[in-house]
Amino acid sequence: MTISDNIEVLIIDDDQDVADAYQHLLEVAGYQTRTATDPLQALTLLHKEWPGVVITDMYMPGMNGKEVLHRIKSLDSTLPVILITGHGDIPMAVDALQNGAADFLQKPLQPAELITLLDKHLPKRKQLIEHRKRLRQTASDVLLGDSPLIVKLRHQIAAAENNDKDALIEGEAGTGRHTLARLLHAHTKMGKGPFIKLCGNKVQRTSDLQRAMLNAREGSLCISNLPAMPTDAQHWLCRFLLEQERLAKREVRVLALVEGTAEQAVEKETLVPELFYFLSQARFVIPPLRQRASDITLLFRYFLEASCQKLNKPVPVVDKAYINTLNRHTWEGNVLELRNVAELYAIGIVKLTGQERTKSLDQMSSPLDDLIDDYEKQVIEDALYLFGGRINEVSTYLQIPRKKLYLRMKKHNLDKADYKAG
Ligand SMILES: Nc1ncnc2c1ncn2[C@@H]1O[C@H](COP(=O)(O)OP(=O)(O)OP(=O)(O)O)[C@@H](O)[C@H]1O
């Protein structure tokens, strides 16, 4: 069983009397505590989301405080650990601080000093865990799905909050890579600045990249298809990022998208290895939809409901056979394809059945031509609603040229002005 959230301080000391003495002192001061005399057992109690602080003795048989610190930091690098060192053991204390200890105290322990340190670290830890929970909630509103792979990704996003590291986002097209980039941008200091998108294959000269970097100052530059960017520009970017890191001065955060894996791009020599190594300090991989089948129905219903709400229509029933069809489909276009299928379903076009259904057979009471006419009118009307009368988007969506669309609208007496919002 892991430690409960209402415990604020975990005291690790192999000497039960000493642990009890610390516990008494802290409980009198109003802290909820727990003691552990076996460091290994103490480690099994901890988890990433525990909103507390660890106090550990440095000298213990079996596992010393340094090892305890190391293990805790690999579980969650932000979990505060206060080390109790021997009197005058300054080199050991400095070493602990360099290895991520929040603070250290020397024996004999001064109660007031311990309480001052807890007052400093505990509220920060609680705040951080609260913030992470809120961020995960936001991430689950934006990046839907309850498959283990998506849940894991949301944890990774939450753990990266307030961390302005440049990042590499890998995955197939349509998996949600831009959505993830926006989410990463929104939850850091750079989130107040601009979010600029640049397509790697639109960069012809390094100056194109430099211009985009200027526009993204104090914010993030989201580069899609990084391997399509010319090698010169990639080298320039690498030098820019290294210099930023050297000066510890962040002007632009780079969020780079790669289709497939970055290793493949390095192998194909489309991604400069130095840039890959630099960006891979923070790496996010979005799995393809076919690897998270349990998200398919959830996402389909979500997009269907959203479209019906836009169209002001009741949500149609989705029968089990169709859900099975959705689950069997391979989704080469990932979530983007699923969204399109759901939006078409909302306007009565049932895709993926092999024989795209229009109206059900029991509605076939009029001559076929009339039915087709009615159906065509309904589809165009729905698409005009969906895009607020914007002809370019309607023609792209229905995959017919604008001219043809206008002719059909004329035939059905439809006017785009009637569908404009507001
Ligand atoms: N997990 C998700 N939950 C909700 N919506 C999602 C999710 N993943 C993707 N989407 C939606 O799917 C669409 C495609 O996502 P996005 O543009 O982020 O994908 P992408 O991988 O960047 O693809 P592309 O490069 O083709 O744009 C967007 O409308 C986005 O909101």
Side-chain angles (χ1 to χ4, degrees):
M1 262 249 294
T2 53
I3 193 161
S4 87
D5 280 4
N6 62 349
I7 299 292
E8 298 170 302
V9 186
L10 175 67
I11 303 157
I12 312 177
D13 198 307
D14 61 303
D15 186 330
Q16 184 74 60
D17 291 341
V18 174
D20 288 347
Y22 292 163
Q23 182 169 45
H24 178 70
L25 164 77
L26 293 179
E27 299 224 322
V28 168
Y31 291 99
Q32 297 288 326
T33 65
R34 178 165 175 172
T35 59
T37 48
D38 175 2
L40 260 180
Q41 188 243 337
L43 289 170
T44 63
L45 295 174
L46 294 173
H47 62 94
K48 277 170 170 298
E49 301 301 311
W50 177 57
V53 174
V54 174
I55 300 176
T56 179
D57 191 24
M58 183 58 106
Y59 303 100
M60 291 179 288
M63 188 186 288
N64 66 24
K66 197 175 164 184
E67 180 63 17
V68 173
L69 173 68
H70 175 70
R71 301 257 192 124
I72 294 177
K73 291 283 132 180
S74 36
L75 172 74
D76 176 7
S77 61
T78 62
L79 207 160
V81 179
I82 299 172
L83 281 156
I84 314 283
T85 64
H87 181 65
D89 208 346
I90 297 295
M92 177 72 94
V94 171
D95 180 65
L97 288 179
Q98 280 171 349
N99 284 296
D103 253 307
F104 71 92
L105 284 173
Q106 295 185 59
K107 287 180 184 169
L109 206 68
Q110 299 299 320
E113 282 180 3
L114 176 58
I115 289 171
T116 306
L117 286 188
L118 285 177
D119 283 348
K120 177 175 158 196
H121 294 292
L122 189 60
K124 273 200 218 155
R125 173 70 180 166
K126 286 185 174 173
Q127 232 175 24
L128 180 95
I129 297 298
E130 259 315 297
H131 190 73
R132 266 190 200 168
K133 280 190 188 148
R134 269 202 309 276
L135 175 55
R136 251 204 315 279
Q137 187 56 43
T138 324
S140 69
D141 289 344
V142 182
L143 214 57
L144 298 172
D146 51 20
S147 60
L149 287 171
I150 281 288
V151 172
K152 195 170 149 207
L153 185 64
R154 283 206 294 266
H155 273 94
Q156 198 193 348
I157 297 167
E161 47 149 8
N162 284 337
N163 162 347
D164 284 334
K165 268 192 188 146
D166 303 294
L168 196 58
I169 301 173
E170 292 157 277
E172 293 179 10
T175 44
R177 297 165 309 159
H178 284 95
T179 309
L180 170 56
R182 260 189 227 98
L183 204 54
L184 289 177
H185 167 74
H187 290 280
T188 52
K189 281 199 288 302
M190 316 301 270
K192 294 195 185 78
F195 179 83
I196 303 291
K197 289 207 287 184
L198 174 72
C199 193
N201 48 12
K202 292 269 164 60
V203 177
Q204 286 176 349
R205 283 171 296 274
T206 303
S207 56
D208 297 334
L209 170 64
Q210 289 165 335
R211 207 168 317 113
M213 289 292 248
L214 274 179
N215 292 336
R217 271 182 83 150
E218 312 285 319
S220 307
L221 179 68
C222 172
I223 308 177
S224 55
N225 203 355
L226 178 69
M229 200 159 83
T231 310
D232 285 355
Q234 289 192 34
H235 279 298
W236 181 85
L237 180 61
C238 196
R239 283 195 302 275
F240 178 93
L241 296 178
L242 282 170
E243 188 62 7
Q244 252 195 178
E245 185 153 286
R246 195 179 64 81
L247 299 174
K249 186 166 163 270
R250 182 155 290 274
E251 279 184 15
V252 180
R253 181 189 197 192
V254 170
L255 302 167
L257 273 52
V258 172
E259 198 164 327
T261 74
E263 276 90 352
Q264 285 164 347
V266 172
E267 234 165 72
K268 280 196 255 160
E269 299 186 356
T270 51
L271 179 60
V272 166
E274 296 88 321
L275 189 54
F276 163 58
Y277 290 123
F278 188 87
L279 292 172
S280 48
Q281 291 178 61
R283 211 167 165 187
F284 298 84
V285 180
I286 312 199
L289 191 54
R290 61 189 162 279
Q291 279 178 19
R292 42 184 164 119
S294 59
D295 291 343
I296 294 173
T297 318
L298 179 147
L299 284 165
F300 180 79
R301 288 194 193 282
Y302 167 77
F303 292 127
L304 178 62
E305 279 168 26
S307 291
C308 290
Q309 209 172 11
K310 256 196 211 165
L311 296 166
N312 207 11
K313 280 181 142 203
V315 180
V317 175
V318 187
D319 59 43
K320 197 146 181 15
Y322 191 60
I323 296 281
N324 290 340
T325 306
L326 294 175
N327 284 326
R328 275 197 308 271
H329 187 60
T330 49
W331 301 109
E332 299 299 325
N334 291 297
V335 185
L336 189 59
E337 183 188 356
L338 180 70
R339 197 191 71 185
N340 288 338
V341 170
E343 285 177 353
L344 287 172
Y345 196 94
I347 59 170
I349 302 175
V350 184
K351 286 275 191 189
L352 309 178
T353 53
Q355 39 176 69
E356 254 73 284
R357 202 163 77 210
T358 52
K359 290 193 173 181
S360 58
L361 285 176
D362 55 352
Q363 288 174 282
M364 298 278 267
S365 50
S366 344
L368 184 62
D369 279 352
D370 287 355
L371 278 175
I372 291 174
D373 253 17
D374 280 357
Y375 181 67
E376 183 181 71
K377 182 177 178 196
Q378 184 207 321
V379 168
I380 298 176
E381 244 190 317
D382 284 341
L384 283 164
Y385 260 116
L386 187 62
F387 295 105
R390 292 188 299 277
I391 294 299
N392 275 345
E393 286 168 51
V394 175
S395 77
T396 311
Y397 187 71
L398 296 177
Q399 297 176 20
I400 55 169
R402 282 167 55 106
K403 202 166 162 196
K404 204 164 172 184
L405 175 62
Y406 273 122
L407 285 174
R408 305 247 171 121
M409 284 168 61
K410 198 165 167 208
K411 175 175 130 192
H412 296 299
N413 206 14
L414 297 172
D415 182 351
K416 66 177 181 188
D418 294 338
Y419 302 89
K420 292 214 189 296

